[in-house]
């Protein structure tokens, strides 16, 4: 298999690719997510973009030749809110 995987932060402009892979994950492995397919399938573009523009929550994508193949999320916490 020939791959060229790179990693980067997901931007609001990536909302459609993020939505598509997240919905795929929710359908195939719902236990791995903090949401449900039935809730998230109804989200509109502004909601997806707002999620990706958060100041304390970040999402990262693994891309293979420009296509998202995996995503991961992280939340910024301070010692006061751990």
């Amino acid at each position: 298999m020939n791959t060229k995987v790179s990693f980067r932060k997901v931007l609001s402009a990536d909302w459609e690719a993020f939505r598509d892979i997240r919905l795929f994950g929710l359908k195939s492995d719902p236990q791995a997510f903090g949401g449900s397919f039935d809730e998230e399938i109804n989200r509109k573009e502004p909601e997806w973009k707002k999620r990706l523009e958060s100041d304390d929550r970040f999402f990262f994508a693994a891309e293979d030749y420009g296509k998202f193949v995996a995503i991961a999320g992280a939340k910024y916490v301070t010692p006061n809110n751990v």
Side-chain angles (χ1 to χ4, degrees), residues 3 8 10 14 36 38-39 63-64 72 74 76:
T3 63
R8 68 175 179 87
V10 180
D14 301 313
S36 77
D38 292 335
E39 291 172 2
E63 292 180 302
D64 188 16
Y76 179 80

Side-chain angles (χ1 to χ4, degrees), residues 38-73:
D38 292 335
E39 291 172 2
E40 298 207 18
I41 189 69
N42 295 313
R43 289 185 190 274
K44 305 294 183 216
E45 177 181 345
E47 294 174 275
W48 289 105
K49 286 183 172 182
K50 183 178 179 183
R51 175 183 271 185
L52 296 172
E53 293 167 351
S54 173
D55 289 334
D56 68 345
R57 188 172 24 176
F58 307 94
F59 295 93
F60 301 92
E63 292 180 302
D64 188 16
Y65 289 99
K67 182 179 179 184
F68 284 12
V69 294
I71 56 172

Side-chain angles (χ1 to χ4, degrees), residues 4-25 48 52 59-72:
K4 183 180 181 187
V5 177
S6 60
F7 301 90
R8 68 175 179 87
K9 182 179 177 201
V10 180
L11 306 173
S12 64
D14 301 313
W15 75 271
E16 289 177 286
F18 176 77
R19 175 201 60 199
D20 293 349
I21 197 166
R22 181 161 173 89
L23 291 176
F24 175 82
W48 289 105
L52 296 172
F59 295 93
F60 301 92
E63 292 180 302
D64 188 16
Y65 289 99
K67 182 179 179 184
F68 284 12
V69 294
I71 56 172

